[in-house]
Amino acid sequence: MNVFGSIEAGGTKIVCLIAKNSTDILDQWVIQTEAPEMTLNAIVSYFRDALSQHANWNLQAVGITSFGPVDLILNSKTYGHIEQTPKPGWTGTDIYGYIKNALKVPVFLDTDVGGAALAEYTVGAGKGKESLIYITIGTGIGGAFIFKGENIYSKHHAEIGHIKVPRIVEDTFKGVCPFHGDCFEGMASGPSMEKRWGMPANQLPDDHAGWAFEAGYIGQAVINLLYTLSPEMIVLGGGVMMHDGLIDQIRDYVASNMNDYCQPDAYKQDIKSTIVLPGSGNIAGAIGGLILAENGMKLNKKKE
Ligand code: ZN
């Protein structure tokens, strides 16, 4: 039986899947993200053990969806290497090469948010749409633009978390991004909320003023992206978005701040179906890895 593998490499944990396809998962395994050598070794052992226990599983390809930044430019000498990261030991790690050489099957790679975006597009909230933007708002902020099944970028994968969002007039908070201070991530990530309000986002009361700030910054980013790329849908995921009612505050902010300028009905009357919560569950990045592997083999998108 032909099977596909998936590795969602997150900053704190790694999710591995073996599946017939993106909806028929045969096995799932999770480990903490430790130093690269140890972690990659454990991943390879997992796949080898699982495959040796199931002689009829014929591994076709593996999709990796990795924390970033990671080099995704196909003709780059450092394709598949983790770029500068605060995660100890991971800077420069060739995650793609390691898995490919060890498992000896085609490997397809995207970022973790690129994977989650692909999962939302294929089996989640955006199923049947032509395009969507997926943004995760949690420990960090990241996003990807999927158009006709492709994650769109040229020189580097998108870094939606680091776009500029206009400062709300009365806001004096400096922001927490080590590179830009008050970029989108600097002003609206989970850690920025905690630093600004003195408690984690999930403890902030429903009527706390912080939620209006949060909806404002996310809303501004959403408007920028609607105007820049005109997607059919924006999916907002991540821990911060689990707060009840935040999605409605964002919808209200977007609807009123576009102010009828180039605001098609889909962005106005149908704002609830334009700005949505995810539909593909808490292993969206790993599901995305399966889709990458399946699509990659179907379309013969192998590197080399
Ligand atoms: Zn930044």
Side-chain angles (χ1 to χ4, degrees):
M1 173 172 64
N2 289 344
V3 299
F4 295 94
S6 170
I7 302 163
E8 179 187 7
T12 53
K13 65 173 186 184
I14 312 264
V15 180
C16 295
L17 302 177
I18 296 175
K20 272 160 88 171
N21 53 55
S22 56
T23 54
D24 194 348
I25 293 164
L26 302 165
D27 197 49
Q28 178 174 341
W29 184 73
V30 181
I31 49 160
Q32 296 301 307
T33 308
E34 308 282 356
E37 187 75 21
M38 191 204 293
T39 309
L40 293 171
N41 246 319
I43 294 169
V44 168
S45 300
Y46 160 72
F47 278 101
R48 284 186 179 149
D49 291 350
L51 293 169
S52 69
Q53 283 161 25
H54 300 85
N56 63 329
W57 287 2
N58 183 15
L59 186 66
Q60 298 296 296
V62 171
I64 303 175
T65 55
S66 172
F67 65 83
V70 56
D71 187 345
L72 295 184
I73 304 307
L74 282 176
N75 58 6
S76 166
K77 283 193 185 111
T78 52
Y79 178 82
H81 290 53
I82 304 288
E83 297 174 348
Q84 201 70 38
T85 172
K87 288 174 185 62
W90 281 89
T91 298
T93 297
D94 180 8
I95 186 168
Y96 169 85
Y98 192 100
I99 298 298
K100 190 169 189 247
N101 292 334
L103 296 179
K104 302 199 167 24
V105 292
V107 172
F108 301 91
L109 176 68
D110 206 329
T111 58
D112 47 2
V113 282
L118 194 57
E120 286 302 320
Y121 176 88
T122 312
V123 295
K127 194 174 173 189
K129 301 284 181 194
E130 181 181 63
S131 62
L132 66 75
I133 290 172
Y134 171 84
I135 307 174
T136 177
I137 300 146
T139 311
I141 296 183
F145 176 47
I146 305 285
F147 183 73
K148 295 185 176 172
E150 289 279 342
N151 183 3
I152 302 296
Y153 56 85
S154 288
K155 300 300 277 184
H156 194 277
H157 59 74
E159 283 286 1
I160 287 171
H162 298 272
I163 61 173
K164 280 288 193 186
V165 283
R167 179 174 285 277
I168 294 170
V169 178
E170 63 269 34
D171 192 0
T172 55
F173 183 62
K174 286 197 172 82
V176 298
C177 175
F179 299 96
H180 316 112
D182 60 357
C183 64
F184 181 22
E185 180 173 295
M187 296 305 266
S189 62
S192 88
M193 292 189 80
E194 181 162 0
K195 188 150 189 209
R196 183 202 296 259
W197 306 114
M199 66 182 101
N202 62 8
Q203 289 172 24
L204 216 58
D206 287 354
D207 59 355
H208 194 284
W211 292 113
F213 280 79
E214 190 65 7
Y217 287 118
I218 298 170
Q220 287 174 3
V222 165
I223 292 171
N224 290 342
L225 293 164
L226 291 175
Y227 278 146
T228 308
L229 295 166
S230 186
E232 276 190 83
M233 171 181 271
I234 294 200
V235 184
L236 299 173
V240 171
M241 286 309 304
M242 288 161 80
H243 177 73
D244 256 0
L246 178 59
I247 187 89
D248 288 318
Q249 278 179 283
I250 296 166
R251 286 167 177 151
D252 290 346
Y253 184 96
V254 171
S256 58
N257 283 273
M258 287 183 90
N259 206 18
D260 282 337
Y261 178 72
C262 291
Q263 193 174 359
D265 287 348
Y267 291 174
K268 206 155 76 178
Q269 283 94 348
D270 303 332
I271 194 80
K272 281 193 172 174
S273 54
T274 299
I275 302 171
V276 303
L277 293 168
S280 60
N282 59 3
I283 55 164
I287 304 279
L290 291 174
I291 298 166
L292 267 186
E294 274 186 276
N295 287 355
M297 292 309 281
K298 226 180 274 168
L299 304 172
N300 196 23
K301 280 197 293 202
K302 266 181 278 182
K303 179 174 159 55
E304 287 144 8

